[in-house]
Amino acid sequence: MAQEYKLILKHADEPGYTRDIECYVRHGGYEALKKALALKPKDLPDGKKLSPQEQIREDVKTSGLRGRGGAGFSCGLKWSFVDRKSGKPIYLICNADESEPGTFKDRQIMYKDPHQLIEGMAIACFANDVHLAYIYIRGEMVDGAKILNVALKEARAKNLIGKNILGTGYDLEIHVHRGAGAYICGEETGLIESLEGKRPYPRIKPPYFPAILGLWMCPTIVNNVETLCNIKHIVAMGAAEFAKLGTPNNTGTRIVSLSGHVKKPGYYEIEVGKATIGELINDPKFGGGLRDGRKLKAVIPGGSSAKVFKAGEKFKIKDKEVDMLDLPYDFDSLIAAGSMSGSSAIIVMDDSTDIVEALANVSEFYAHESCGQCTPCREGSLWMSKALHRLTHGEGRASDADYLVKIADNIPGGRTICAFGEACSWPVQSFVGKFKDEFVAKGKADEERRAKENVQPKTATPPERHELATAKH
Ligand SMILES: Cc1cc2nc3c(=O)[nH]c(=O)nc-3n(C[C@H](O)[C@H](O)[C@H](O)COP(=O)(O)O)c2cc1C
Ligand code: SF4
C-alpha cells in the first residue's frame, strides 16, 4: 500500500513548527552542515587521499540523486562536469523559479522551512568550492524572497554562512535574486542571463554549458530547490541509506503537486516509484479520488509540458502491459510510457473537461512565454495558439487537428536553442494525437454551422500576441 514518506517535508507541516532558525536547530538543523565541514581527508587503498569535498561529491553520486527541476539528470554527474581547473570562481545557483504550470512544491519548502534549503545549499557549495551562491526566486513569490532573506540573516548571525563559517576557514555568501515573472527564467541559461541583468535569452549549448561557461562565463552549478535540500539528507543519513529510499535508479523521495479534478488536491511526498499514478489520484491518503459521479478523462503527469495520458491507455513496460493508472510514479516508468515526471506535477482532468479548451489554455501560456529567439518556437507556439483560439471560438476547421500536429512536429528536435521548443510542442502532439476526434468534431461543427448560416470565418486572423496576453485577465 502506498504511503506518504516525509523526508524533505518531515517537519514543515508539523503543528508548532516555525520557520525561524531556533526551531530549525531544535529539530536537528545545521548538524549535516557541521558534519560536512568536519570531514577529514580519507585514505584510499591506492594510497591517494579523498578530500572532504570529493567525499561529498562521491556520496551524491552514490546516492543516485536525480534533479528535481524537470529533466531528472543525475546530480552527482552534473557536479562532475564542473570545470575545476579554469582558475575562475565556481558559482552555485538555486533554481527557485518554479513556473511550470501545476507545480507548487518548491514554495512549500521555501515558505515553511527555508533553513533546510540554506543548509542544503551551504553543503553543496562547500562540496564544490563555491564561495558565492544565488537563490533565483520566481518574482511573484514576494513573500518567499522576504522569508529567505530573513533566514539568511539568521544564518549569518550564527556564522552558518558568511566569513570563516564556524571557524573552519570556509567562506560562503548567498544572495536572493527575484525574477520578474518570465517562465523562461526557469531554463538554466535564461536564468543565468537574467541574473547577469540581461533579457533571459537562453544560451546555445554547446558552448555555453553552465558547468563550464555559466554565470559571468565562469563554471556554474544550477540545481532545483528540492534537489539541493536532498544534499543535506544525503550527508545526514549517508549515501547508502539515502539510496535505499525509492526504487533502483529512482532514489529518494519526491514532492508531488497534485491538482485538478481530485477531491484532495495538494502536495504529497512519496518515495520515488513507491506509489502509482492511480494511487496518487484515488487513495484517500493522497488525492482521494475524483469528484462524485465523474470519470477520469486525462492526466498530465509532470507539469503542463509533459505529454498527456488518456484514461485507459496501456503501455508496454519491461514486457508487461501496464495501465496508465498502474504506472509507478518515477522518472524511468513515465519516460518509458512516452511522457515524463518533469517537475512532479500531476494535473487530473475528469470527463467534464473540454480537452480542446484545456489545450488552448496550455498553448496560450506557451505562446506568451516563448522568448522569441528561435523562429520555430516563436512563430510555431503562436500559430498553435491561434489555431486553438479559433477552435474554441466557433471559428474552427476540421483540418485544424492535422494543422496543429504539423506545426508541433516542426518545432522540436534540435531546431531550437532550448527545451522550450519541446515544452510547447509535447502538449499539442499528445492532446491532439490522443483526442483527435474531439478536435476534428469541433472544427467540423464550426464548418457546418458557417455553411448553414452562409458566413465566412470571422477570426481568420486570430488575436495578436498582446491580445493573447490579456485574453484571460
Ligand atoms: C522552459 C524551461 C523552464 C524551466 N523551469 C524550471 C523551473 O521553474 N525550476 C527548475 O528547477 N527547473 C526548471 N527548468 C529546468 C532547468 O533548466 C534546470 O534543468 C534545473 O534547474 C536543473 O536543476 P536539477 O538538476 O536540480 O533538476 C526549466 C527548463 C526549461 C527548458
Ligand atoms: S526555444 Fe523558444 S524559449 Fe527557447 S530560446 Fe528558442 S525561442 Fe526562446
Side-chain angles (χ1 to χ4, degrees), residues 270-338:
I270 54 161
E271 284 187 69
V272 186
K274 293 243 175 119
T276 62
I277 293 184
E279 284 167 330
L280 285 163
I281 294 173
N282 292 318
D283 193 302
K285 289 189 289 300
F286 302 108
L290 301 176
R291 299 177 300 178
D292 291 337
R294 290 289 171 197
K295 283 200 190 101
L296 185 66
K297 183 161 186 178
V299 178
I300 302 177
S304 64
S305 55
K307 288 189 177 175
V308 71
F309 288 145
K310 187 175 182 176
E313 228 182 312
K314 308 254 187 281
F315 305 99
K316 255 252 151 68
I317 312 270
K318 290 182 195 150
D319 290 335
K320 270 197 353 218
E321 195 177 69
V322 181
D323 187 275
M324 180 267 280
L325 289 176
D326 296 328
L327 284 171
Y329 198 70
D330 64 37
F331 296 97
D332 295 335
S333 302
L334 269 67
I335 289 171

Side-chain angles (χ1 to χ4, degrees), residues 67-70 73 78 95 97-100 183-184 186-188 222-224 227 419-420:
R68 301 322 197 214
F73 192 74
K78 178 185 272 194
N95 190 342
D97 200 51
E98 189 156 73
S99 307
E100 177 77 9
Y183 169 72
I184 200 58
E187 195 282 335
E188 56 188 6
V222 184
N223 273 135
N224 169 261
T227 312
F420 185 105

Side-chain angles (χ1 to χ4, degrees), residues 122-256:
I123 300 170
C125 289
F126 172 69
N128 287 287
D129 305 305
V130 171
H131 298 283
L132 184 54
Y134 295 90
I135 303 173
Y136 186 103
I137 187 166
R138 180 189 167 124
E140 291 89 333
M141 294 189 197
V142 182
D143 290 340
K146 285 185 193 152
I147 289 164
L148 286 167
N149 272 320
V150 169
L152 285 168
K153 203 169 158 193
E154 290 176 327
R156 229 172 263 130
K158 290 202 184 297
N159 193 216
L160 292 159
I161 58 167
K163 292 260 179 242
N164 189 21
I165 296 174
L166 303 175
T168 58
Y170 175 58
D171 300 339
L172 171 67
E173 194 43 83
I174 302 178
H175 297 297
V176 176
H177 183 98
R178 283 183 58 207
Y183 169 72
I184 200 58
C185 288
E187 195 282 335
E188 56 188 6
T189 58
L191 184 159
I192 289 171
E193 284 280 302
S194 167
L195 197 51
E196 289 183 2
K198 294 178 260 170
R199 280 178 87 110
Y201 279 157
R203 296 174 178 172
I204 198 152
K205 299 186 232 178
Y208 298 110
F209 292 110
I212 301 159
L213 295 172
L215 186 63
W216 316 115
M217 290 299 137
C218 296
T220 302
I221 294 165
V222 184
N223 273 135
N224 169 261
V225 171
E226 189 185 347
T227 312
L228 287 165
C229 289
N230 275 294
I231 305 300
K232 169 207 152 126
H233 296 283
I234 292 167
V235 169
M237 66 203 289
E241 279 306 301
F242 182 92
K244 284 185 196 158
L245 293 173
T247 49
N249 207 36
N250 296 268
T251 60
T253 66
R254 274 202 102 173
I255 306 169
V256 181

